[in-house]
């Protein structure tokens, strides 16, 4: 299986690149942000609770997202692999994911980290907020909170995957096709 963790701060382009990668490598896209927004839209009890945290730019509890991911993995048997987008976001999530995949006889193949400077992220997110109407993309202090959550809780995962020899840093600026080509080169050379 090809199991990719597509990593990076909010606004790094994970969603855009995931769309291209799932087509190129026939993978299933698992975005915890998308799944949570689906729960919010459906007004499920989970969605109602999660929305309070999402609106403040804070992370939802680890056990909630880990449970959601396991359900999605189990409902997609026999696939080529998964792209994990926006997950894991904490060391506890990464450890839970490793254990979960090991139980299923699988593992993470590599982590691809899209690197984009904070000023560019803020610009991109405000722009996306105008186009998508996403509430957490429309307020600069919420955006700052999300970037801060990323820097304090999520960025340390680079070390976690480095220690496993799975970390790859990719420049997340340039055209969408340039970035996709950098990602593809790393994937092709790592799976050889
Ligand atoms: P995203 O679309 O990935 O930027 O996620 C939007 C929001 O959903 C985040 O700001 C968090 O509140 C929540 N969220 C998404 N993925 C996770 C995760 N893996 N762990 C905790 N919270 C998450």
């Amino acid at each position: 299986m090809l199991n990719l963790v597509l990593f990076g701060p909010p606004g790094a382009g994970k969603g855009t690149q995931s769309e291209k990668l799932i087509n190129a490598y026939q993978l299933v896209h698992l975005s915890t942000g998308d799944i949570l927004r689906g729960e919010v839209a459906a007004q499920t009890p989970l969605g109602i609770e999660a929305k309070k945290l999402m609106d403040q730019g804070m992370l939802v509890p680890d056990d909630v997202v880990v449970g959601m991911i396991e359900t999605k993995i189990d409902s997609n048997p026999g696939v080529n692999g998964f792209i994990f987008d926006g997950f894991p976001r904490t060391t506890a999530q990464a450890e839970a994911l490793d254990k979960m995949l090991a139980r299923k006889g699988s593992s993470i193949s590599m982590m691809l980290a899209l690197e984009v400077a904070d000023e560019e992220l803020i610009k991109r997110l405000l722009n996306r907020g105008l186009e998508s109407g996403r509430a957490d993309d429309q307020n600069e202090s919420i955006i700052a909170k999300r970037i801060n959550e990323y820097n304090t809780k999520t960025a340390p995962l680079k070390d976690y995957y480095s220690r496993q020899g799975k970390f790859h840093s990719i420049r997340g600026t340039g055209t969408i096709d340039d970035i996709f080509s950098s990602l593809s080169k790393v994937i092709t050379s790592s799976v050889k």
Side-chain angles (χ1 to χ4, degrees), residues 27-174:
L27 304 173
V28 172
H29 182 203
L30 296 184
S31 155
T32 40
D34 285 350
I35 302 168
L36 285 166
R37 279 184 289 279
E39 298 280 337
V40 172
Q43 297 193 323
T44 63
L46 190 159
I48 291 165
E49 280 309 303
K51 185 177 188 310
K52 295 177 195 161
L53 295 163
M54 293 165 78
D55 281 351
Q56 295 173 63
M58 288 162 66
L59 296 183
V60 307
D62 290 332
D63 55 337
V64 172
V65 284
V66 169
M68 284 180 351
I69 283 286
E70 181 147 32
T71 305
K72 291 285 179 188
I73 291 176
D74 290 346
S75 58
N76 284 283
V79 297
N80 276 344
F82 295 97
I83 296 187
F84 297 95
D85 162 4
F87 177 88
R89 260 180 156 99
T90 63
T91 304
Q93 291 178 22
E95 288 170 352
L97 178 62
D98 277 348
K99 283 193 193 128
M100 183 197 304
L101 290 175
R103 279 200 305 273
K104 300 176 197 300
S106 189
S107 61
I108 290 297
S109 312
M110 69 193 81
M111 182 234 231
L112 302 159
L114 293 171
E115 312 280 0
V116 179
D118 285 0
E119 311 78 68
E120 170 71 13
L121 295 174
I122 295 165
K123 233 176 20 194
R124 289 187 189 180
L125 289 169
L126 287 170
N127 206 28
R128 187 169 75 183
L130 287 176
E131 285 166 9
S132 70
R134 245 181 87 167
D136 60 346
D137 283 343
Q138 294 182 13
N139 177 316
E140 265 199 70
S141 71
I142 303 293
I143 290 175
K145 176 76 191 163
R146 286 160 65 204
I147 294 176
N148 184 54
E149 288 276 88
Y150 172 81
N151 286 331
T152 54
K153 296 179 182 161
T154 307
L157 289 182
K158 292 182 188 179
D159 290 336
Y160 180 89
Y161 286 100
S162 271
R163 285 194 293 274
Q164 299 187 5
K166 294 179 179 173
F167 168 72
H168 301 273
S169 173
I170 281 119
R171 197 162 71 97
T173 48

Side-chain angles (χ1 to χ4, degrees), residues 171-187:
R171 197 162 71 97
T173 48
T175 68
I176 290 173
D177 285 340
D178 287 345
I179 300 166
F180 176 66
S181 144
S182 307
L183 289 166
S184 299
K185 269 185 208 143
V186 172
I187 295 170

